[in-house]
Amino acid sequence: MSTLAATQADGFYYPPDWTPEGGSKNSAFKGSNGALGKRANKKSQGLLTIRFEMPFNVRCGACGHTIAKGVRFNAEKKKIGNYHSTPIWSFTMYSACCHQEIEVQTDPANTEYNVAKGAERCVGGQGYEAELPDDLMQMLEYQNDEERTALLANPLAVLERSMNDEKRAKARARSTLELNDLSKARWKEDYLVNKSLRRSMRSQRKEAVALKEYSKSLGLPEHVRLKPEKEEDKQLARRVFTSDAARFDRRRKETRRDILKQSIFASAPSTSGVSGLVRAGSSSAAPKRTSSATSNALRAAKLAKRR
């Protein structure tokens, strides 16, 4: 087989601008990060963008917004040290509520995550020890082998410890039984509980429909939702609209409205209201009628003399 035939059989394709030294100049993969793509843009700084899932509930340190367990972020992963031969990783992300920078670090010594900055842990406080149960803390009470050996050698201490363990177990069983009995008593009459729940929900739906109809009657937009009336709101509105300032403002508006209704040609404008304007208009119109009657009488006398 010739060389040309072997090349065609292998199916290799070389673009026109391909060179053995630099490959193709217009290749889409030239200068890329391979399969990592944009996630490895900061590879030179030791950073890799990964999808990080919050391991517990935290509270944002800037705005106080609660970030629930399981919320995912695009975090920058970076190695910050070692615990023996296990690397310690740091994950830096930004909260969606206020763009607060949050840093979470691994704790290989306690097989736990620690919030380094930007937020605080909601349950159990900041440290891992705050979330440990009481029994586990009591197990860590004796720290060396000598004390543990001395305890096992003392039968009274062993007996006292076993009695404390039995009391603790009985207290747990009692609390568990009480919770179980309370749950059964609460849901024993499931039909009545369901009936009362549906009745309350039905009244809430009726109230919502009534408020919606009242909003339509007032001509309010659909996105404006009225809230149920409360006695505190009524008292507050009553105090606001019956105060001295509101009364003064109302009187000022009424006086201004009466002034705007007056004529600018009136000889003596009255501030007593519309009735004063009517009386002034009637008194000013009377002399005009008498003068017109006198002029008509004089004109008739002149015509009689000419005849």
Side-chain angles (χ1 to χ4, degrees), residues 33-163:
N33 299 317
L36 296 176
K38 296 181 179 179
R39 299 193 295 122
N41 286 342
K42 298 181 181 180
K43 185 171 56 176
S44 59
Q45 305 175 13
L47 300 175
L48 178 65
T49 303
I50 65 168
R51 197 67 173 165
F52 180 80
E53 184 174 328
M54 191 62 67
F56 36 67
N57 297 339
V58 298
R59 184 177 293 106
C60 180
C63 63
H65 179 75
T66 301
I67 302 175
K69 175 182 178 181
V71 178
R72 297 180 180 181
F73 299 90
N74 291 333
E76 295 180 350
K77 178 181 177 182
K78 182 179 181 180
K79 182 179 178 181
I80 58 175
N82 288 301
Y83 175 75
H84 299 295
S85 61
T86 304
I88 300 176
W89 300 100
S90 171
F91 305 95
T92 305
M93 65 211 77
Y94 295 91
S95 62
C97 51
C98 61
H99 206 66
Q100 169 76 357
E101 183 179 356
I102 301 175
E103 182 179 354
V104 180
Q105 299 177 0
T106 59
D107 187 7
N110 298 317
T111 62
E112 183 61 64
Y113 289 93
N114 295 328
V115 182
K117 65 177 181 179
E120 61 179 359
R121 201 163 177 173
C122 291
V123 180
Q126 286 284 351
Y128 167 72
E129 290 81 3
E131 285 192 350
L132 292 176
D134 297 337
D135 297 342
L136 188 55
M137 295 299 294
Q138 292 177 4
M139 291 174 61
L140 300 176
E141 183 178 357
Y142 306 101
Q143 300 178 356
N144 50 34
D145 296 338
E146 295 178 358
E147 294 181 356
R148 190 178 299 106
T149 305
L151 173 65
L152 296 177
N154 188 355
L156 293 178
V158 175
L159 180 60
E160 183 179 0
R161 185 183 180 91
S162 62
M163 292 177 64

Side-chain angles (χ1 to χ4, degrees), residues 78-261:
K78 182 179 181 180
K79 182 179 178 181
I80 58 175
N82 288 301
Y83 175 75
H84 299 295
S85 61
T86 304
I88 300 176
W89 300 100
S90 171
F91 305 95
T92 305
M93 65 211 77
Y94 295 91
S95 62
C97 51
C98 61
H99 206 66
Q100 169 76 357
E101 183 179 356
I102 301 175
E103 182 179 354
V104 180
Q105 299 177 0
T106 59
D107 187 7
N110 298 317
T111 62
E112 183 61 64
Y113 289 93
N114 295 328
V115 182
K117 65 177 181 179
E120 61 179 359
R121 201 163 177 173
C122 291
V123 180
Q126 286 284 351
Y128 167 72
E129 290 81 3
E131 285 192 350
L132 292 176
D134 297 337
D135 297 342
L136 188 55
M137 295 299 294
Q138 292 177 4
M139 291 174 61
L140 300 176
E141 183 178 357
Y142 306 101
Q143 300 178 356
N144 50 34
D145 296 338
E146 295 178 358
E147 294 181 356
R148 190 178 299 106
T149 305
L151 173 65
L152 296 177
N154 188 355
L156 293 178
V158 175
L159 180 60
E160 183 179 0
R161 185 183 180 91
S162 62
M163 292 177 64
N164 292 335
D165 293 341
E166 291 179 1
K167 290 180 180 179
R168 195 179 303 111
K170 290 180 179 179
R172 283 181 180 175
R174 189 182 303 111
S175 61
T176 304
L177 293 175
E178 290 176 357
L179 291 175
N180 192 15
D181 295 340
L182 179 62
S183 177
K184 288 182 178 180
R186 182 176 298 175
W187 294 99
K188 183 178 180 180
E189 302 293 340
D190 53 352
Y191 174 75
L192 297 178
V193 173
N194 189 8
K195 185 178 179 180
S196 61
L197 180 62
R198 291 172 64 86
R199 186 186 298 111
S200 62
M201 295 178 63
R202 193 180 301 112
S203 61
Q204 293 177 4
R205 286 196 299 269
K206 289 182 179 179
E207 186 177 2
V209 171
L211 289 175
K212 189 174 182 180
E213 294 295 334
Y214 182 62
S215 176
K216 287 183 179 179
S217 64
L218 295 177
L220 298 177
E222 294 184 358
H223 65 275
V224 177
R225 296 183 179 180
L226 298 178
K227 293 186 177 180
E229 294 184 355
K230 296 182 180 180
E231 189 63 27
E232 296 82 0
D233 298 339
K234 293 181 180 179
Q235 295 178 1
L236 178 61
R238 194 178 299 112
R239 287 197 301 268
V240 170
F241 287 102
T242 57
S243 61
D244 296 337
R247 191 180 301 109
F248 173 78
D249 190 38
R250 186 167 62 255
R251 289 179 179 177
R252 181 179 62 82
K253 290 181 180 179
E254 291 177 357
T255 305
R256 184 176 180 83
R257 185 169 58 252
D258 295 340
I259 292 174
L260 293 176
K261 289 182 179 179

